[in-house]
Amino acid sequence: MPTPGLDGYIPSWHKPEHDDLAELARDFFAKEVLPHAERLERQGHPDREHYLKAGELGLLGLSVPEEFGGGGGDFTHEAVLLHEQQHVGEGSLGLAVHSGIVTGYVVEYGTEEQKRRWLPGLCSGELVGAIAMTEPGGGSDLQAIRTKAVRDGDDYVITGSKTFITNGGVADLVILALKTDTSQGAAGISLVVAEIKNDPPGFRRGRLLEKIGLHSNDTAELFFDDFRVPATNLLGAEGGGFFQMMQQLPQERLVIGVGAVAAMQRAVELAVAYAKERTAFGKTVFAHQNTRMVLADCATRTRASRIFLDDCITRHARGELDVPTAAMAKLWLTEGQCEVVDKCLQIFGGYGYTTEYPIAKMYADARVQKIYGGTNEIMKELIARVL
């Protein structure tokens, strides 16, 4: 069903090919993944077969050039995929990180050899990608990274740990932010790609972290103890890692915003449908004025959010999305997601607090959106710097 308040709305960047992609993605999530949702929640991580199936359908690496096995599209195609995943309620596959972030780093900073080595596997689903920035004592402070890489002949020897790593439990390839020069601050940070399939010597996956939401998506700790990586796995220039992350973080925050708006749309749809069929005090819940007022607020917030998001997507497609605007998007859209989902859950009453209803899972899943990708407090600081 269309989202109330968004009926007939078409983004300026939208083309007929996006409709075809949306239908393909919707069918994939609904038919191939969602039937396994309860099992995936229990096991705490996605099935590798679902990554392979997504790759077979051409749903991975949509913005990767065709010569490297990708779809040859741009971020608008990634946005459609991620919107459909969130809108149908599929949360196991870490596509926001795998395709929305990791492939972009390799395309932007990888050498020709690196692109040919890693991108085809990421696009086929044979490789699952992750990016590891956060450390136990660092949080959003990327300059405080302590994991280090010491050059030893043709290798880097890596020591340290990472935490809260999305896809960390199943990843075959992880982009590591680490210090190649511990005497420097931001200028000492580099990005190195670690190939961790089959858990090679010196590398260990920690436990899958138990979270209040996103239960079917794996979030893990990663440990490195004299872990050797070929120096040729350096992504870009040594010491350029902080700059690279600053360049790519606007897209990461836009990826988060796409999920936020899709969740808002779904919450409004579910709440309106429930309010029109549930009765209380002799009439439908929707017939009560307070319910209509709440839903009117939610629908308005959702439409305004969608329009802001689409403006950001348009700017990003032109290469014009700046750091403060991306921070505004991440801040406002995730705050809106939590607010709208909370208000919609209230309409369900006691049923909204039971896991039998999707709105309960959406409520738990929403909270982390204000944390990862840089906390919303950090977003405010980034915005304030340009005021």
Side-chain angles (χ1 to χ4, degrees), residues 47 50 199 258:
D47 285 349
H50 293 153
D199 295 0
V258 170

Side-chain angles (χ1 to χ4, degrees), residues 24-328:
L24 177 64
R26 218 166 25 242
D27 285 348
F28 166 68
F29 294 126
K31 296 176 182 177
E32 300 289 342
V33 189
L34 283 180
H36 306 280
E38 290 186 11
R39 176 178 60 79
L40 295 172
E41 288 262 326
R42 290 193 301 271
Q43 75 181 21
H45 61 83
D47 285 349
R48 291 300 301 255
E49 290 75 13
H50 293 153
Y51 276 103
L52 291 168
K53 182 63 175 179
E56 182 183 324
L57 293 172
L59 293 174
L60 301 181
L62 291 166
S63 56
V64 172
E66 292 182 20
E67 63 182 298
F68 302 116
D74 58 25
F75 182 77
T76 64
H77 299 91
E78 303 288 2
V80 168
L81 174 71
L82 298 175
H83 175 92
E84 293 303 326
Q85 182 183 21
Q86 181 69 257
H87 195 246
V88 302
E90 200 296 296
S92 68
L93 293 167
L95 303 183
V97 170
H98 177 89
S99 289
I101 299 173
V102 172
T103 59
Y105 273 88
V106 179
V107 169
E108 186 68 23
Y109 307 114
T111 64
E112 184 75 10
E113 187 276 330
Q114 288 173 335
K115 292 175 185 179
R116 295 199 179 280
R117 189 176 5 147
W118 296 319
L119 287 174
L122 290 169
C123 293
S124 69
E126 295 174 66
L127 297 177
V128 175
I131 185 164
M133 301 181 189
T134 307
E135 298 186 356
S140 296
D141 185 3
L142 295 179
Q143 295 191 53
I145 286 172
R146 298 178 64 184
T147 298
K148 64 180 181 179
V150 177
R151 187 69 182 261
D152 180 27
D154 293 331
D155 294 338
Y156 283 113
V157 179
I158 299 173
T159 303
S161 62
K162 298 290 182 177
T163 193
F164 307 134
I165 307 307
T166 300
N167 297 352
V170 298
D172 307 295
L173 179 151
V174 58
I175 298 174
L176 286 172
L178 38 69
K179 284 285 184 73
T180 46
D181 185 347
T182 56
S183 68
Q184 299 290 321
I189 296 174
S190 302
L191 300 181
V192 173
V193 178
E195 295 165 284
I196 56 174
K197 194 167 190 173
N198 301 319
D199 295 0
F203 167 73
R204 178 171 63 87
R205 296 176 208 262
R207 61 195 174 99
L208 293 183
L209 301 174
E210 295 185 13
K211 312 179 293 276
I212 63 173
L214 299 177
H215 294 149
S216 58
N217 177 248
D218 55 313
T219 305
E221 301 168 316
L222 306 179
F223 299 96
F224 305 88
D225 184 11
D226 292 336
F227 176 60
R228 303 186 78 90
V229 173
T232 52
N233 284 20
L234 177 70
L235 201 58
E238 190 169 290
F242 190 79
F243 175 74
Q244 292 166 331
M245 289 187 288
M246 292 306 101
Q247 279 192 315
Q248 294 298 311
L249 277 170
Q251 175 160 315
E252 179 176 345
R253 287 159 185 164
L254 195 53
V255 163
I256 294 170
V258 170
V261 173
M264 292 164 72
Q265 291 183 220
R266 185 174 185 232
V268 172
E269 292 168 13
L270 292 171
V272 169
Y274 180 82
K276 288 183 176 181
E277 67 182 26
R278 174 75 173 175
T279 58
F281 303 101
K283 54 185 177 181
T284 65
V285 172
F286 190 80
H288 293 274
Q289 186 184 50
N290 181 69
T291 303
R292 297 198 304 277
M293 299 303 101
V294 169
L295 289 172
D297 281 342
C298 291
T300 302
R301 180 69 183 258
T302 300
R303 178 162 189 138
S305 297
R306 180 73 213 218
I307 292 170
F308 180 30
L309 171 67
D310 287 333
D311 178 64
C312 289
I313 291 174
T314 299
R315 290 170 182 267
H316 186 53
R318 296 198 303 253
E320 299 172 1
L321 182 66
D322 56 69
V323 170
T325 305
M328 288 178 180

